[in-house]
Amino acid sequence: MDSALFSGVMNCLICSKCNRKYDLFESVWMCICGGFLDIQLRVSFDPETLKNKPFSLWRYREVLPLHPDAIPVSLGETLTPLLPIDISGQTVHFKQDQLFPTGSFKDRGSAVLITHLNYLKIPSVVEDSSGNAGASIAAYSAKAGIKCEIFVPDSASEAKLLQISRYNAIIRTVNGSRKTVAEAAFKIAEKTYFASHYYNPFFIHGIKTWAYEVCEQRRWSAPDTVILPIGNGSLFLGAFLGFQELKASGVISKIPKFIGVQAKCCAPIYKAIHPFCSVKLNDCQTIAEGIAVSDPPRIQQILSCISETGGDLITVSENCIKKTLQEKWSEGYYVEPATAATIAGVTLYVQQLTNDEQIISSFTGHGLKYSKPLPNSH
Ligand SMILES: *Cc1c(COP(=O)(O)O)cnc(C)c1O
Ligand SMILES: [Zn+2]
């Protein structure tokens, strides 16, 4: 295949901690030193190559770190609309990623990761998740015929657990925080393959298609500002990666400012930026379960993204999340709490703006994922 990825420059897996390199197609998910892996990838992207390609995630295949012989494991990953919504008098465009096959943006990552693992003939995978990543990995594993085991916190939504089990994945419920859940999955993963949405770089490279789509929908221009939720940061970092590649390819001239949104009661990034603040981290106390992560392993990369792009981190209270959720539902937008948190963050951001900015955000998860009454108090 005449792809930019295989143009003689060495593409490889590289350890984030000790810089050890592995072949891109070796079946490792962690460095022997315990560090997580990134992908060193030579990308040179030309929009001209997209002509006549179908409107799906796979139109960007040329920039994905997949073997030329890998056959896409696909459930129909269509391009998602960029919907303009008025937020406090300013138009903000929200990518409708809740429309993906399993109801969340995670399918961008799962489609690419499972395609890679299917090519490697990995027979079984394990993942830990608050629900959406688990459902997504489970769905694509089902499509590929890969055995799948998902570790979830006992606080996960019933609808998400049902969805995971309906894809025939094995569910392991763990009592405790997201960190406890992750540790339990990690142990099992020693014997299988950790198809992690935050550890595994193939997942994050799948997410970067978000940025390619946004830029293509804007006729290959970057917005001023991107506002995205941060749980483990796979969306945030994947989007950043996409913009970095597009800039390096000379397709866009600037990388947008990256603003993250977290729930007030679970805001490790905010805490890292403001070390003297007294916020307590409790990932069980937010209804925005998609971003309830008190200890994201890629925190350093998230912090560099924010500082390199002149970005920031906005926190939103539980009341504000609930109010925004009900308000959006009443306007016809059916989203889940983590997306309401994002919209609440966008609103706070817009309200302090003095100039017009072109802002892009995202609907990350479908409202059908949260089919239970809102809690009254916290
Ligand atoms: C996973 C998820 C997030 C957060 O994404 P990260 O990649 O963990 O930062 C936000 N919203 C929803 C609906 C999610 O499923
Ligand atoms: Zn290492």
Side-chain angles (χ1 to χ4, degrees):
M1 189 171 110
D2 182 26
S3 157
L5 290 188
F6 299 94
S7 57
V9 182
M10 170 134 128
N11 293 309
C12 62
L13 293 163
I14 181 163
C15 174
S16 59
K17 217 159 148 186
C18 74
N19 287 334
R20 177 186 283 264
K21 291 181 179 177
Y22 299 83
D23 187 275
L24 188 56
F25 305 110
E26 200 173 317
S27 95
V28 287
W29 54 267
M30 185 174 81
C31 181
I32 48 167
C33 82
F36 58 80
L37 301 170
D38 284 316
I39 296 173
Q40 191 171 298
L41 191 67
R42 177 83 185 183
V43 170
S44 149
F45 173 69
D46 179 359
E48 282 299 306
T49 60
L50 298 181
K51 273 195 185 140
N52 308 321
K53 286 195 182 160
F55 289 100
S56 85
L57 176 153
W58 303 101
R59 78 198 258 102
Y60 310 111
R61 170 160 186 163
E62 194 195 345
V63 296
L64 296 174
L66 294 171
H67 193 279
D69 295 338
I71 299 159
V73 176
S74 173
L75 293 165
E77 301 73 30
T78 183
L79 298 196
T80 60
L82 204 48
L83 188 69
I85 299 178
D86 183 301
I87 304 283
S88 297
Q90 153 112 28
T91 301
V92 176
H93 287 81
F94 288 85
K95 200 112 172 78
Q96 299 295 291
D97 271 16
Q98 84 283 17
L99 299 179
F100 266 97
T102 75
S104 85
F105 77 87
K106 301 282 194 320
D107 292 354
R108 292 183 186 276
S110 303
V112 172
L113 173 57
I114 298 297
T115 292
H116 175 63
L117 301 187
N118 190 46
Y119 168 75
L120 294 180
K121 300 201 161 53
I122 302 276
S124 64
V125 296
V126 52
E127 153 79 315
D128 73 283
S129 160
S130 71
N132 286 343
S136 182
I137 291 287
Y140 283 84
S141 296
K143 180 74 202 277
I146 293 173
K147 227 180 103 217
C148 180
E149 203 172 333
I150 307 286
F151 286 73
V152 295
D154 53 6
S155 58
S157 279
E158 190 67 24
K160 291 177 184 174
L161 294 178
L162 255 181
Q163 188 182 7
I164 294 170
S165 66
R166 283 172 176 166
Y167 294 128
N168 267 353
I170 300 161
I171 296 183
R172 307 265 185 236
T173 310
V174 180
N175 185 298
S177 70
R178 280 299 294 277
K179 198 175 175 190
T180 321
V181 179
E183 282 162 2
F186 221 84
K187 227 181 223 138
I188 301 299
E190 283 168 8
K191 280 172 254 125
T192 82
Y193 187 99
F194 197 24
S196 168
H197 62 291
Y198 51 91
Y199 234 75
N200 196 294
F202 288 89
F203 189 95
I204 293 173
H205 274 260
I207 302 284
K208 78 186 179 188
T209 56
W210 187 90
Y212 280 83
E213 274 183 43
V214 164
C215 289
E216 185 170 13
Q217 285 168 314
R218 295 171 42 88
R219 295 166 199 267
W220 302 112
S221 75
D224 299 313
T225 306
V226 161
I227 306 179
L228 294 172
I230 300 179
N232 276 300
S234 74
L235 176 56
F236 202 72
L237 292 172
F240 183 45
L241 177 63
F243 284 111
Q244 284 176 306
E245 289 181 0
L246 286 161
K247 171 132 190 295
S249 302
V251 175
I252 56 172
S253 55
K254 62 165 187 197
I255 292 176
K257 185 159 64 170
F258 266 68
I259 311 282
V261 181
Q262 297 200 303
K264 264 208 167 72
C265 57
C266 188
I269 308 299
Y270 184 84
K271 203 172 164 127
I273 297 174
H274 308 274
F276 299 112
C277 74
S278 59
V279 291
K280 278 202 229 80
L281 304 179
N282 187 335
D283 57 19
C284 300
Q285 266 174 20
T286 176
I287 58 164
E289 52 196 24
I291 51 171
V293 182
S294 58
D295 195 11
R298 291 181 180 269
I299 186 163
Q300 287 312 325
Q301 295 179 332
I302 295 168
L303 292 170
S304 336
C305 167
I306 291 176
S307 72
E308 277 171 39
T309 64
D312 203 353
L313 194 286
I314 294 173
T315 59
V316 290
S317 70
E318 290 307 297
N319 256 340
C320 185
I321 297 172
K322 267 196 278 181
K323 237 185 77 212
T324 308
L325 192 56
Q326 284 165 318
E327 185 187 290
K328 288 302 134 191
W329 285 346
S330 73
E331 292 166 9
Y333 303 112
Y334 205 39
V335 292
E336 68 163 282
T339 296
T342 312
I343 301 168
V346 169
T347 309
L348 289 174
Y349 181 80
V350 164
Q351 283 167 351
Q352 50 82 50
L353 271 187
T354 45
N355 299 324
D356 261 10
E357 278 182 19
Q358 293 180 357
I359 304 170
I360 307 285
S361 184
S362 205
F363 281 11
T364 50
H366 205 291
L368 293 170
K369 297 273 195 170
Y370 191 80
S371 296
K372 62 182 174 194
L374 276 174
N376 285 322
S377 61
H378 265 81

